[in-house]
Amino acid sequence: MVEDYTNAFLVSAFCLVFMALFAIWAIWGLIVALGTGWAADKALAALPRNSD
């Protein structure tokens, strides 16, 4: 008789899938934040300066 490792496999698989999806979410968020910052920098640089 062999031991049943089904539950251990399912828990490990859930952890790995969760970490992979979290990493994808973090990278996507970083890319969006960098893009937003770049766009804001370009928009602010394009504004005319007042020399009061």
Side-chain angles (χ1 to χ4, degrees):
M1 198 76 182
V2 295
E3 293 188 40
D4 184 16
Y5 288 109
T6 303
N7 286 337
F9 168 76
L10 290 175
V11 170
S12 298
F14 171 77
C15 290
L16 287 172
V17 168
F18 179 79
M19 285 189 294
L21 290 175
F22 191 83
I24 291 169
W25 179 45
I27 291 169
W28 177 251
L30 181 63
I31 291 170
V32 170
L34 287 172
T36 303
W38 178 82
D41 178 57
K42 294 301 177 187
L44 290 174
L47 291 176
R49 292 183 178 230
N50 287 340
S51 56
D52 290 340

